[in-house]
Coordinates of all heavy atoms in Angstrom, one line a residue:
L1 N 17.9 0.2 -10.6 CA 16.9 0.6 -9.6 C 17.4 0.1 -8.2 O 17.8 -1.1 -8.1 CB 15.5 -0.1 -9.9 CG 14.9 0.3 -11.2 CD1 13.6 -0.5 -11.4 CD2 14.6 1.8 -11.3
Q2 N 17.6 1.0 -7.3 CA 18.2 0.7 -6.0 C 17.2 1.0 -4.9 O 16.4 1.9 -5.0 CB 19.5 1.5 -5.8 CG 20.5 1.2 -6.8 CD 21.8 2.1 -6.7 OE1 21.7 3.3 -6.5 NE2 22.9 1.5 -6.7
N3 N 17.4 0.4 -3.8 CA 16.7 0.6 -2.5 C 15.2 0.5 -2.8 O 14.4 1.2 -2.1 CB 17.0 2.0 -2.0 CG 18.5 2.1 -1.7 OD1 19.1 1.2 -1.1 ND2 19.1 3.2 -2.0
M4 N 14.8 -0.4 -3.6 CA 13.3 -0.6 -3.9 C 12.6 -1.1 -2.7 O 11.3 -1.0 -2.6 CB 13.1 -1.5 -5.1 CG 13.7 -0.9 -6.4 SD 13.1 0.7 -6.8 CE 11.5 0.3 -7.5
E5 N 13.3 -1.7 -1.8 CA 12.6 -2.2 -0.6 C 12.1 -1.0 0.3 O 11.4 -1.2 1.2 CB 13.5 -3.1 0.2 CG 14.6 -2.5 1.0 CD 15.9 -2.2 0.2 OE1 15.8 -2.3 -1.1 OE2 16.9 -1.8 0.7
M6 N 12.6 0.2 0.0 CA 12.2 1.3 0.8 C 10.9 2.0 0.2 O 10.6 3.1 0.7 CB 13.3 2.3 0.8 CG 14.6 1.8 1.4 SD 14.4 1.0 3.0 CE 14.2 2.4 4.0
I7 N 10.2 1.4 -0.7 CA 9.0 1.9 -1.2 C 8.0 2.1 0.0 O 7.9 1.2 0.9 CB 8.3 0.9 -2.2 CG1 9.2 0.8 -3.4 CG2 6.9 1.4 -2.5 CD1 8.7 -0.4 -4.3
Q8 N 7.4 3.2 0.1 CA 6.4 3.4 1.2 C 5.2 2.7 0.8 O 4.7 2.8 -0.3 CB 6.1 4.9 1.4 CG 5.2 5.1 2.6 CD 4.8 6.5 2.8 OE1 5.2 7.4 2.1 NE2 4.1 6.8 3.8
F9 N 4.7 1.9 1.8 CA 3.5 1.2 1.5 C 2.7 1.1 2.8 O 3.2 1.5 3.9 CB 3.8 -0.3 1.1 CG 4.6 -1.0 2.1 CD1 4.0 -1.8 3.0 CD2 6.0 -0.9 2.0 CE1 4.8 -2.5 4.0 CE2 6.8 -1.6 3.0 CZ 6.2 -2.4 3.9
H10 N 1.4 0.8 2.7 CA 0.6 0.7 3.9 C -0.1 -0.7 3.9 O -0.7 -1.0 2.9 CB -0.5 1.8 3.8 CG -1.0 2.2 5.1 ND1 -1.9 1.4 5.8 CD2 -0.8 3.3 5.9 CE1 -2.2 2.0 7.0 NE2 -1.6 3.1 7.0
P11 N 0.1 -1.4 5.0 CA -0.4 -2.8 5.0 C -1.9 -2.9 5.2 O -2.5 -4.0 4.9 CB 0.3 -3.4 6.1 CG 0.7 -2.3 7.0 CD 0.9 -1.1 6.1
T12 N -2.6 -1.9 5.7 CA -4.0 -2.0 5.9 C -4.8 -1.0 5.1 O -4.7 0.2 5.3 CB -4.3 -1.9 7.4 OG1 -3.7 -0.8 8.0 CG2 -3.8 -3.1 8.2
L13 N -5.7 -1.5 4.3 CA -6.5 -0.7 3.4 C -8.0 -1.1 3.6 O -8.3 -2.2 3.9 CB -6.2 -0.9 1.9 CG -4.8 -0.6 1.5 CD1 -4.6 -1.1 0.0 CD2 -4.5 0.9 1.6
L14 N -8.9 -0.1 3.4 CA -10.3 -0.4 3.4 C -10.7 -0.7 2.0 O -10.4 0.2 1.1 CB -11.1 0.8 4.0 CG -12.6 0.7 4.0 CD1 -13.0 -0.5 4.9 CD2 -13.2 2.0 4.4
G15 N -11.2 -1.8 1.7 CA -11.6 -2.1 0.3 C -11.8 -3.6 0.1 O -12.1 -4.4 1.0
T16 N -11.6 -3.9 -1.2 CA -11.7 -5.3 -1.6 C -10.4 -5.7 -2.2 O -9.5 -4.9 -2.3 CB -12.8 -5.4 -2.8 OG1 -12.3 -4.7 -3.9 CG2 -14.1 -4.8 -2.3
P17 N -10.2 -7.0 -2.5 CA -8.9 -7.4 -3.1 C -8.6 -6.7 -4.4 O -7.5 -6.6 -4.8 CB -9.1 -8.9 -3.3 CG -10.1 -9.3 -2.3 CD -11.0 -8.2 -2.2
Q18 N -9.6 -6.2 -5.1 CA -9.4 -5.5 -6.3 C -9.3 -4.0 -6.2 O -8.7 -3.3 -7.1 CB -10.6 -5.8 -7.3 CG -10.7 -7.2 -7.8 CD -11.2 -8.2 -6.7 OE1 -12.1 -7.8 -5.9 NE2 -10.7 -9.4 -6.6
R19 N -9.8 -3.4 -5.2 CA -9.9 -1.9 -5.1 C -9.8 -1.4 -3.7 O -10.5 -1.9 -2.8 CB -11.2 -1.4 -5.7 CG -11.2 0.1 -5.7 CD -12.3 0.6 -6.7 NE -12.2 2.1 -6.6 CZ -13.3 2.8 -6.5 NH1 -14.5 2.3 -6.4 NH2 -13.1 4.1 -6.5
A20 N -8.9 -0.4 -3.5 CA -8.8 0.2 -2.2 C -9.7 1.5 -2.2 O -9.7 2.2 -3.1 CB -7.4 0.6 -1.9
Y21 N -10.4 1.7 -1.1 CA -11.2 2.9 -0.9 C -10.5 3.9 0.0 O -10.9 5.0 0.1 CB -12.6 2.5 -0.4 CG -13.3 1.6 -1.3 CD1 -13.4 0.3 -1.2 CD2 -14.0 2.2 -2.4 CE1 -14.1 -0.5 -2.1 CE2 -14.6 1.4 -3.4 CZ -14.7 0.1 -3.2 OH -15.4 -0.7 -4.1
G22 N -9.5 3.4 0.7 CA -8.7 4.4 1.6 C -7.8 3.6 2.5 O -7.9 2.4 2.6
L23 N -7.0 4.3 3.2 CA -6.1 3.7 4.2 C -6.8 3.6 5.6 O -7.6 4.4 5.9 CB -4.9 4.7 4.4 CG -4.0 5.0 3.2 CD1 -3.0 6.0 3.6 CD2 -3.4 3.7 2.6
V24 N -6.4 2.5 6.3 CA -6.8 2.4 7.7 C -5.6 2.7 8.5 O -4.6 2.0 8.4 CB -7.4 1.0 8.0 CG1 -7.7 0.9 9.5 CG2 -8.6 0.7 7.1
S25 N -5.6 3.8 9.2 CA -4.4 4.3 9.9 C -3.9 3.2 10.9 O -4.6 2.5 11.5 CB -4.8 5.5 10.7 OG -3.7 5.9 11.6

């Protein structure tokens, strides 16, 4: 597995520590 640091992720979510309800742009 290469370049795994390039995973797209989003640091701010609307939700709880257990569940995301959506992204906060």
Side-chain angles (χ1 to χ4, degrees):
L1 300 174
Q2 297 176 313
N3 302 318
M4 297 303 284
E5 74 277 9
M6 302 307 287
I7 296 170
Q8 182 181 4
F9 59 92
H10 204 289
T12 50
L13 301 172
L14 178 63
T16 68
Q18 293 75 35
R19 181 162 183 230
Y21 296 100
L23 301 175
V24 177
S25 172

